[in-house]
Amino acid sequence: MTAISMLPHLSKATLPPARLYIAGSWLDSSAEPIPHIHPATGESVFDAPNADAAAVDAAISAARVAFDEGPWPRLPGRDRAQYLRTIADLIRADAANLNMLLSLDNATPSSFVGFYQMGAEYPADLFDTYAGWVDKITGNTYPQWEASQPFTFTTHEPVGVAAIITPWNAPMSLFAQKLAPALAAGCTVVAKPSELSPLVSLRIAELIAQADLPPGVFNMLLGPGDPVGTALVGDPRVDKVSFTGSRGIGSAIAATVGARIGRISLELGGKTPALIFPDADLGMAVGIAAGNAFLGLSGQVCVCQSRILVHRDVYDEVLSTLIGFAAAATFGDPFDPSVSAAPMITTQHMRRVLSHIERAVGDGAKLAVGGGRAENAAATGNFVAPTVLVNVDNSMAVAQEEIFGPVLCVIPFTEDDEAIRLANDTRYGLGAAVYTHDVSRALRVSGALRAGTIGVNSWTLQPHAPFGGMKQSGLGRENGQAGIEGYLETKTTFMR
Ligand code: NAD
């Protein structure tokens, strides 16, 4: 096995300050920094700052003052839009460096960073597209309901101080999906990205600092979910919490924020089904589904197509193609262009994924391929072999729980309605994919699926189109007009 190291790559990158960004300044915290352990090598690559209680308080105070007394919510649209465009330009100019930091954070293979939604281009586009929304936050006027009614109109105002909490897997994209609309709406922000993606998060904060927003409009904390995230969401000075992460944490945050009738949006996990019909382009269907689960982030994506529902007529062909894909994944140094798959983000998460597989086998599932740690270039990395499970009943834990790793279960069906029933038989409703060339079937099946995002012979996420989940996959939508509406309150004025 070849030993690999991130240290030579680290020396080539422009590293951000290991400090917190509060009220327009970089500040230290008294809390012990957290060594960031690289998931492919086990090396400590960065000492990430860790917010103490005073830093959390200072960040919320700064955002509160900037909202209540500062210019930001009252800034003319043209000026606010210009700040967002500047941020977009700064991100684009630093794209190569940001992409490098992404691989240093979470081992995203460099071969995958070029995917639009993973690298720096997508977040830059989000700032541009929301710059365009600033001057489109318009209200309505209303005709008289009765003769004596005064002039009636609505305005949409920023919701206030927004706490933005994001996970580690696509740290630039998920952060921009929240920050760009929040700033466009006129909110002030305290961001708490994942402690597992500190480099790219702090570098984006550094770029935003260069855009010279009024102090306190944007603040960034880092540190663990508990106590940093909990302190942030529990603070009544925070008007809105926008969270992307796991269902359990989202539910706990919703309880805290709900108790004070705070505003909240949630982008949570999923158990996305891929419905493969016999008339589909099977190579494309398996390519998208297995690409999601086995390549790139190795299934550590919220919309991983982890339940393959396949028509019995094409079951054998689909299964053997999936097994071929699994065998083709390559592991090792994320900067090696021939490496196609990432390790699990932490050793603890790798153990969790492996225990899901063990439990599935204990429940009666059979391994078609994989099932353990991957043979790879780095003995120290958290690599899990792409795993395909068959003989799975949809009620088993492996078909119901989000695994967040390279684990697929394949379940056969005969009738369209059976496929729809299986697809909807989950508490999640983030995404669903339908593979068929029959337009009537595509419309009927996708119409019957209870999921917020449907791919028909395709799978994507775009800055201008709403994205989000039904059922326990979330609350609210990001991107496009729906995204900015999450940061606005409607005010109705009756004026005589
Ligand atoms: P996570 O829930 O463990 O953490 C997400 C963020 O919440 C991190 O910043 C973490 O520090 C913070 N956090 C943890 N506990 C907290 C608490 N009690 N209070 C406040 N903040 C807290 O998730 P993760 O492991 O980073 O990411 C994986 C999860 O995110 C998966 O479930 C995945 O499906 C989901 N996800 C969803 C989407 C989406 O758009 N729907 C996108 C990406 C990831």
Side-chain angles (χ1 to χ4, degrees), residues 164-170 174 177-178 192-197 222-233 241 243-250 252-253 256 266-270 300-304 345 349 402 404 428 430 461 467-469 473-474 478:
I164 285 176
I165 302 180
T166 42
W168 60 269
N169 62 336
L174 301 171
Q177 281 180 196
K178 297 182 187 308
K192 209 296 287 171
S194 173
E195 62 278 23
L196 300 174
S197 54
L222 265 183
D226 190 8
V228 181
T230 44
L232 186 54
V233 302
V241 174
F243 172 79
T244 299
S246 51
R247 192 195 63 86
I249 305 280
I253 291 175
T256 303
L266 301 168
E267 291 286 343
L268 308 177
Q300 297 170 105
V301 284
C302 56
V303 286
C304 174
I345 186 69
H349 183 54
E402 184 183 47
F404 220 56
Y428 291 108
L430 189 58
L461 174 66
F467 170 75
S473 283
E478 298 197 325

Side-chain angles (χ1 to χ4, degrees), residues 129 263 323 391:
T129 194
R263 276 46 179 161
I323 291 170
N391 206 28

Side-chain angles (χ1 to χ4, degrees), residues 54-73:
V56 178
D57 179 62
I60 299 171
S61 299
R64 191 72 261 168
V65 170
F67 186 80
D68 293 337
E69 298 164 27
W72 188 252

Side-chain angles (χ1 to χ4, degrees), residues 207-231:
L207 298 172
I208 294 169
Q210 287 170 22
D212 217 11
L213 300 169
V217 170
F218 170 74
N219 308 274
M220 187 184 278
L221 301 169
L222 265 183
D226 190 8
V228 181
T230 44

Side-chain angles (χ1 to χ4, degrees), residues 70-83:
W72 188 252
R74 291 158 276 276
L75 215 56
R78 187 178 64 169
D79 298 350
R80 204 150 75 213
Q82 192 49 50
Y83 279 108

